[in-house]
Structure formats: structure tokens, C-alpha cells
Amino acid sequence: MIEVTDMHAYYGKSHILQGVTMNVQEGEIVALLGRNGVGRSTTCKAIMGEVSPHGSVRFRGQEIAGRKAYEIANMGIGYVPENRDIFPGLTTRQNLNLGLKPGQKDGAGRWSMQTMFEMFENLNRRADVEASVLSGGEQQMLTMCRTLMGDPDFIMIDEPTEGLSPQMVQKVAEVLKAIAAKGISTLLVEQKLSIAMDIAHRVYVMGHGQVVFEGTPAELKAREDVRKEWLEV
């Protein structure tokens, strides 16, 4: 589905990504782990075209490095950023409609607005309320749902459980499993090791702008040295 090879990225003169290589297969949940500042979010932005990548990024066998972010989105890649980026002056319903691609009708893909409201009753109850009054957890749900409205085949989700209650964290985990069940590939950037180990098929650990470990959750669990050096505070 997505294959990244020797990807580098810079912020000015700062060399942030230093040869990242990874892949996500169809219907797979892959967790990207690491401490803050190691390049996980930059990896997502470089794949999405928000940061210029140097190297190869292939989606369904097609090179996408160097394309504009809107072109990449229209090809079938979705991105849920860490800062949520909702439109606070618009209602929940209007925010969801903005997730539709040009010419796409609601319900034409794997997801519909009704599906979102069934998954998240809180959003249904606040469908016609301005998004600015939603709680942090509700705004996170809205951002994820808005991206799904565009019916992506591959979705990157950056820190979806940050600052959420345990109940909301569990809801996020359920949604991620539902996404994978529809054959959608997911790259999950996550700080909480527990949720990543529970739902991911494979994990990558990043350190200093590079991938320092690749394997299954069970293999990472057995590698105390990796967890101590690159994950634990």
C-alpha cells in the first residue's frame, strides 16, 4: 500500500529525517513509536507532502514524493494531524461535509455521515452545534471522522489519544480496528505503548530521525533493551 525508502526531510538546515524506510500493507495497522521530537510527525507530513521529502515514497506502486498535499489526498491518502485542525466556526455536520472529495457524494464510499453518527453518539447529538464548543475528545473524533468521509485507502493518525479520557482512548481503539476491518491501511503515531501494542500488527520505533526497530508487538515486548533506550522515560 505505502512504501517509504531512504526518506530524508529538513526544517531549514536541521536534518530531521535521516533515511527512514518503512512500509504499510493493505488492511494493516502499523504503529510508529518513539519519544517526542524523533521525527514521527515529520514522517507523516513528508508522506503527505506537507514537508518536502527526499527519497522515495510510493503509494500503490506509484511515486508520490514531490506531489502537492491535495494531489496526494485525492489519490486516497488521509491524514489526521495531532493539532486536530477543525473549523471552529462551522458545525459538526459542516466539518464532516468538508471531508468529502470534489464530486464525492455522502455515502458513496465505505463511510457516510450516518455511519459517523452511529459510531459517535456525542457527535450525533451535537451535529448542528459549532465545533468550537465540543470537548477535546469530541474534536478528536470529529477530525478522524472528517478524514474518513473522504474514503481514504491509507490513513495516518497522529497522536489520537493525547489528552483523552480512558473511555475515549478505548473508543479510539475500537474505531482503529473498524478502519482496518474495512481494508484501510493505518499508520498510527502513538505515545501510549499499551494501545499500540494492543491493536497494531507491526511496530516501528524511531530515534534521532531513523527507524531503530521493526517487528511485531510481541517482538518489541521481548526487547527490553529497545524499550529502555528508545521509549521509556
Side-chain angles (χ1 to χ4, degrees):
M1 180 61 72
I2 193 86
E3 187 171 1
V4 176
T5 306
D6 194 28
M7 183 170 70
H8 296 251
Y10 300 80
Y11 288 135
K13 293 183 179 180
S14 298
H15 192 178
I16 306 302
L17 301 183
Q18 302 181 22
V20 172
T21 295
M22 63 171 57
N23 66 82
V24 183
Q25 301 302 316
E26 189 168 349
E28 191 178 37
I29 300 176
V30 173
L32 187 57
L33 307 174
R35 297 191 181 102
N36 288 333
V38 299
R40 295 171 305 149
S41 295
T42 303
T43 297
C44 293
K45 291 176 181 178
I47 292 172
M48 197 68 215
E50 292 190 358
V51 174
S52 296
H54 301 264
S56 176
V57 182
R58 301 185 73 84
F59 177 59
R60 289 174 168 164
Q62 185 175 354
E63 186 63 54
I64 62 172
R67 288 180 177 266
K68 302 291 187 184
Y70 71 87
E71 293 175 328
I72 293 172
N74 284 332
M75 291 174 71
I77 296 181
Y79 175 42
V80 182
E82 183 180 8
N83 56 1
R84 296 170 185 159
D85 282 344
I86 61 164
F87 293 89
L90 300 181
T91 67
T92 297
R93 192 185 306 275
Q94 289 169 333
N95 268 273
L96 289 174
N97 275 325
L98 286 174
L100 294 170
K101 290 186 174 69
Q104 179 188 349
K105 293 183 179 180
D106 181 23
R110 285 163 288 198
W111 309 90
S112 67
M113 192 171 299
Q114 185 58 38
T115 304
M116 303 307 171
F117 288 154
E118 288 172 358
M119 283 198 302
F120 300 108
E121 293 181 2
N122 285 10
L123 294 186
N124 190 17
R125 286 194 293 268
R126 299 186 170 212
D128 298 305
V129 172
E130 284 192 2
S132 60
V133 304
L134 300 180
S135 69
E138 289 167 343
Q139 289 183 5
Q140 182 62 65
M141 296 303 102
L142 175 57
T143 310
M144 290 177 63
C145 290
R146 183 182 62 194
T147 302
L148 290 175
M149 288 290 288
D151 199 26
D153 294 313
F154 170 62
I155 186 170
M156 298 179 289
I157 307 177
D158 194 351
E159 297 279 14
T161 65
E162 181 69 25
L164 301 189
S165 67
Q167 183 180 4
M168 273 295 197
V169 169
Q170 183 58 39
K171 190 66 178 176
V172 169
E174 292 173 5
V175 172
L176 291 172
K177 291 177 182 177
I179 290 171
K182 287 182 179 284
I184 301 168
S185 306
T186 303
L187 180 63
L188 172 66
V189 175
E190 186 51 69
Q191 193 79 17
K192 291 183 176 64
L193 193 58
S194 57
I195 185 173
M197 297 289 271
D198 178 50
I199 68 172
H201 299 102
R202 290 188 298 118
V203 297
Y204 289 97
V205 178
M206 287 190 69
H208 305 311
Q210 299 176 323
V211 172
V212 296
F213 174 86
E214 174 190 357
T216 65
E219 289 169 339
L220 178 58
K221 190 174 182 179
R223 291 290 303 275
E224 184 179 1
D225 59 323
V226 173
R227 298 198 314 276
K228 280 189 173 182
E229 183 171 1
W230 302 107
L231 296 174
E232 296 175 2
V233 178

